[in-house]
């Protein structure tokens, strides 16, 4: 019990500045961030699903919330969060929690980077007691002007100094001695910021904190009428997907930090939905699982859900009993905390790492990040998913097509996965075989592991066309494994295809004279009218003249 209480206090100290900072970055009153933190502890924390991960307002959703509030107002935020919470509960009840684990890691990392990069640039402005211009691109373009204005304004320079000191402290705090580094760096930065802001002559912007209960804004009929707006429905779907994905990705990360009970994804998704439903009814910020608070909980030695539940109680007690302390916190310090959080989300070291591991996945990751920065979170994620699917399809269609000309035969040998994506190469090879001028064409597809409808149709049309022109076409198609005892060198093929026969080694078996297999071997394959021939088992020469039209590379 003592360990759980101690861990809950550590999580509370980490969560307090983050809840306030996320609210400020989202463009809503600071009290709403605390309310969401309380709900994340008392509602989500007490529910079954995950044991040690902690939920609350997340920096990853700050830019999305700010954009939504700017477009629809704070009053509509509650309806959107409420709708997202109900959808999460439904997804959990129909057991779709694990579907979010099927998303490519490159898309996930690209999404996090696309969230972190705009967050950093947007918080550089409040870090200097200025207002951000708007979109991520506008924020980046306005940095030279921000620097010029900050340098010429002594008060803004002090605020920027506090923010920079907070960032430096966040990066360097892990190197402090054991007992000291157990105190959260964000809390130390807040303490230093309060001390500097209270000095004579220092004029920096601090939090404007009101009554916690008075900040509750229950949506009314007017707000629910907004559900007829397609934009509101789109926002609900966006919040649902992003909040669910972030929570379940965090659950997987937290599970790797400890050896206790594993997360049950569907109950956890229901718990997150319950939290967002309550948050929506109170008009608060959306809730997700958060890595920073969760890792602090694990490192503090927590073993049960008690610690994360109690941290919500401490947040509630602090906001109700000591609200005047919150009004002393400089905004620039909270912005510095969020710049550090954005850097961790951006994780620039992951890009060269991904480049070394898989350049295709690196392209997906980079494109996802760039599209999110240039457009919006949902568009970027959808683009990343589409790019990941295209990459997977291309890699699944690894096909090798070779051609070899003999005295009277044009051979085409194909292996791998033949899908419609490789149809141009297949058509080119078939046309080259037809143009070779040989009286016989042999198509060997026995090495094909998957032949989709498009490629199969193309092959069958080619065979029918060439046979109609009087050419002898031998087609070896992929099929099921041969039964035990099947003689080596005999291939099973579809009805009407040429198959080897020991009675006709030259491959000129007349129609109507099928090869009868030994009595001990079942003959489940072709009909009695099929033509049979010996399978040519000689390996294709390693070196032979190749023309461009005779070889299609991988």
């Amino acid at each position: 019990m003592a360990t759980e209480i101690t861990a809950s206090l550590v999580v509370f100290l980490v969560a307090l500045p983050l809840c306030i900072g996320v609210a400020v970055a989202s463009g809503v009153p600071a009290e709403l961030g605390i309310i969401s933190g309380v709900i994340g502890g008392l509602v989500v924390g007490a529910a079954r699903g995950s044991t040690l991960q902690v939920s609350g307002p997340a920096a990853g959703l700050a830019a999305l919330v700010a954009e939504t509030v700017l477009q629809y107002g704070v009053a509509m935020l509650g309806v959107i969060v409420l709708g997202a919470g109900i959808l999460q509960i439904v997804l959990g009840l129909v057991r779709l929690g694990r579907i979010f684990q099927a998303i490519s890691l490159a898309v996930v990392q690209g999404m996090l980077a696309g969230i972190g990069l705009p967050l950093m640039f947007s918080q550089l402005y409040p870090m200097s007691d200025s207002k951000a211009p708007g979109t991520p691109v506008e924020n980046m373009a306005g940095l030279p002007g921000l620097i010029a204005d900050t340098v010429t304004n002594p008060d803004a320079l002090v605020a920027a100094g506090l923010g920079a000191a907070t960032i430096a402290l966040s990066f360097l705090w892990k190197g402090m001695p054991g007992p000291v580094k157990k105190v959260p760096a964000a809390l130390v930065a807040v303490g230093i910021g309060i001390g500097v802001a209270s000095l004579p002559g220092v004029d920096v912007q601090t939090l404007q904190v009101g009554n916690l209960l008075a900040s509750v804004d229950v949506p009314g009929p007017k707000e629910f009428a907004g559900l007829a707006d397609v934009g509101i429905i789109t926002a609900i779907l966006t919040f649902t997907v992003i909040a669910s994905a972030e929570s379940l990705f965090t659950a997987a990360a937290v599970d790797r930090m400890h050896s206790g009970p594993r997360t049950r994804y569907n109950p956890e998704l229901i718990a997150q939905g319950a939290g967002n439903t309550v948050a929506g009814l109170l008009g608060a910020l959306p809730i997700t699982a958060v890595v920073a608070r969760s890792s602090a909980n694990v490192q503090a030695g927590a073993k049960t859900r008690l610690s994360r539940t109690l941290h919500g109680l401490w947040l509630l007690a602090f906001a109700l009993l000591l609200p005047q302390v919150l009004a002393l916190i400089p905004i620039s310090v909270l912005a510095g905390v969020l710049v550090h959080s954005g850097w961790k989300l951006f994780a620039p070291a992951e890009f060269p790492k991904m480049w070394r591991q898989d350049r295709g996945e690196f392209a997906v990751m980079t494109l996802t990040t760039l599209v999110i920065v240039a457009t919006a979170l949902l568009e970027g994620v959808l683009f990343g998913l589409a790019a990941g699917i295209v990459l997977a399809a291309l890699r699944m269609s690894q096909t090798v097509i070779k051609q070899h000309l003999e005295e009277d035969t044009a051979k085409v040998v194909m292996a791998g996965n033949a899908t419609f994506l490789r149809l141009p190469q297949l058509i080119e090879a078939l046309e080259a075989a037809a143009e070779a001028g040989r009286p016989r064409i042999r198509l060997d597809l026995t090495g094909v592991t998957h032949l989709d409808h498009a490629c199969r149709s193309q092959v069958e049309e080619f065979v029918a066309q060439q046979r109609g022109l009087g050419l002898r076409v031998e087609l070896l198609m992929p099929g099921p494994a041969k039964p035990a005892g099947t003689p080596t060198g005999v291939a099973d093929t579809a009805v009407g295809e040429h198959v080897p026969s020991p009675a006709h080694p030259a491959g000129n078996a007349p129609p109507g004279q099928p090869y009868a297999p030994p009595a001990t071997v079942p003959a489940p394959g072709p009909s009695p009218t099929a033509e049979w021939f010996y399978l040519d088992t000689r390996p294709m020469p390693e070196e032979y003249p190749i023309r461009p039209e005779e070889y299609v590379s991988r």
Side-chain angles (χ1 to χ4, degrees):
M1 180 66 71
T3 302
E4 298 299 314
I5 293 175
T6 303
S8 70
L9 290 171
V10 172
V11 176
F12 157 70
L13 295 175
V14 173
L16 180 62
L18 287 175
C19 288
I20 300 170
V22 170
V24 173
S26 302
V28 301
E31 300 84 15
L32 295 184
I34 297 176
I35 292 173
S36 292
V38 172
I39 295 170
L42 298 182
V43 178
V44 182
R48 303 176 67 184
S50 178
T51 303
L52 299 181
Q53 79 170 0
V54 182
S55 299
L61 285 174
L64 181 61
V65 173
E67 181 182 343
T68 303
V69 169
L70 187 64
Q71 186 172 2
Y72 300 107
V74 179
M76 285 303 301
L77 181 63
V79 173
I80 294 171
V81 175
L82 173 62
I86 294 173
L87 273 181
Q88 284 181 307
I89 293 174
V90 172
L91 290 174
L93 290 175
V94 298
R95 306 185 66 80
L96 291 180
R98 285 192 176 273
I99 196 173
F100 291 95
Q101 291 184 296
I103 299 177
S104 165
L105 180 61
V107 176
V108 174
Q109 291 180 332
M111 178 189 75
L112 295 177
I115 291 171
L117 195 61
L119 180 63
M120 284 191 295
F121 283 104
S122 68
Q123 292 308 299
L124 290 175
Y125 289 87
M127 201 173 83
S128 301
D129 284 351
S130 300
K131 184 178 180 180
T135 66
V137 176
E138 292 172 342
N139 293 341
M140 294 177 190
L143 282 182
L146 173 67
I147 295 172
D149 293 341
T150 302
V151 171
T152 57
N153 186 334
D155 292 332
L157 202 56
V158 172
L162 284 174
T166 300
I167 297 171
L169 196 64
S170 300
F171 279 109
L172 300 175
W173 195 250
K174 290 184 178 179
M176 300 297 289
V180 177
K181 69 180 180 182
K182 289 184 178 180
V183 181
L187 187 66
V188 175
V190 167
I192 294 174
I194 291 175
V196 173
S198 62
L199 294 175
V202 175
D203 184 16
V204 295
Q205 295 181 13
T206 58
L207 281 176
Q208 302 299 316
V209 184
N211 185 284
L212 194 66
L213 296 178
S215 301
V216 173
D217 186 12
V218 179
K222 180 181 177 182
E223 286 73 30
F224 283 108
L227 291 172
D229 187 343
V230 176
I232 296 295
I233 300 300
T234 302
I236 290 174
L237 294 175
T238 305
F239 274 70
T240 302
V241 172
I242 302 303
S244 301
E246 187 167 343
S247 294
L248 298 182
F249 295 152
T250 300
V254 174
D255 280 348
R256 292 194 292 267
M257 299 178 187
H258 65 89
S259 57
R262 305 290 92 182
T263 298
R264 295 186 298 170
Y265 286 86
N266 293 310
E268 178 61 19
L269 189 56
I270 294 173
Q272 295 292 333
N276 277 316
T277 300
V278 176
L281 289 173
L282 300 180
L285 291 173
I287 293 170
T288 72
V290 189
V291 173
R293 279 160 262 188
S294 301
S295 60
N297 192 36
V298 174
Q299 292 166 7
K303 300 295 182 185
T304 70
R305 297 194 299 270
L306 181 61
S307 61
R308 64 180 193 170
T309 305
L310 285 177
H311 109 275
L313 185 61
W314 307 144
L315 281 173
L316 179 61
F318 185 89
L320 291 177
L321 302 178
L322 298 171
Q324 64 275 14
V325 177
L326 299 178
L328 301 176
I329 301 176
I331 291 178
S332 60
V333 171
L334 298 176
V337 171
L338 290 173
V339 168
H340 177 251
S341 297
W343 178 266
K344 290 195 297 182
L345 287 170
F346 178 47
E350 293 298 325
F351 285 87
K353 180 180 177 182
M354 185 65 79
W355 173 265
R356 292 190 297 268
Q357 292 177 346
D358 191 318
R359 294 189 178 182
E361 296 289 341
F362 169 82
V364 173
M365 179 179 173
T366 304
L367 286 173
T368 303
T369 301
L370 293 176
V371 174
I372 289 175
V373 172
T375 57
L377 190 58
L378 180 62
E379 286 84 345
V381 171
L382 293 177
F383 183 90
L385 290 173
I389 291 171
V390 170
L391 177 64
L394 289 173
R395 288 180 168 175
M396 289 177 64
S397 300
Q398 294 296 322
T399 310
V400 177
I401 305 176
K402 291 185 178 181
Q403 291 181 247
H404 177 51
L405 298 179
E406 292 186 349
E407 295 179 358
D408 64 342
T409 306
K411 288 186 177 181
V412 177
V413 181
M414 184 161 60
N417 294 319
T419 70
F420 67 94
L421 295 173
R422 302 301 179 185
L423 201 55
Q425 291 93 322
L426 175 60
I427 294 173
E428 182 179 354
L430 294 177
E431 290 176 349
E435 295 170 0
R438 301 298 195 269
R440 183 168 66 173
I441 298 174
R442 172 169 292 177
L443 306 180
D444 185 355
L445 278 62
T446 55
V448 174
T449 55
H450 173 69
L451 185 68
D452 75 354
H453 179 72
C455 290
R456 178 181 289 273
S457 297
Q458 183 63 42
V459 169
E460 291 174 348
E461 290 173 7
F462 174 81
V463 170
Q465 181 184 41
Q466 297 303 315
R467 286 176 177 171
L469 295 175
L471 294 179
R472 181 180 181 85
V473 181
E474 300 168 355
L475 176 60
L476 305 178
M477 295 289 280
K482 296 184 289 293
T486 302
T488 303
V490 178
D492 299 325
T493 66
V495 175
E497 294 166 1
H498 296 273
V499 189
S501 166
H504 306 282
N508 297 317
Q513 297 184 16
Y515 160 60
T520 56
V521 180
S527 68
T529 59
E531 297 184 13
W532 295 69
F533 60 85
Y534 263 122
L535 172 64
D536 185 359
T537 58
R538 294 174 298 169
M540 184 173 288
E542 293 293 335
E543 301 291 338
Y544 56 86
I546 303 176
R547 297 181 311 188
E549 65 271 14
E550 293 177 341
Y551 178 68
V552 181
S553 63
R554 186 183 297 269

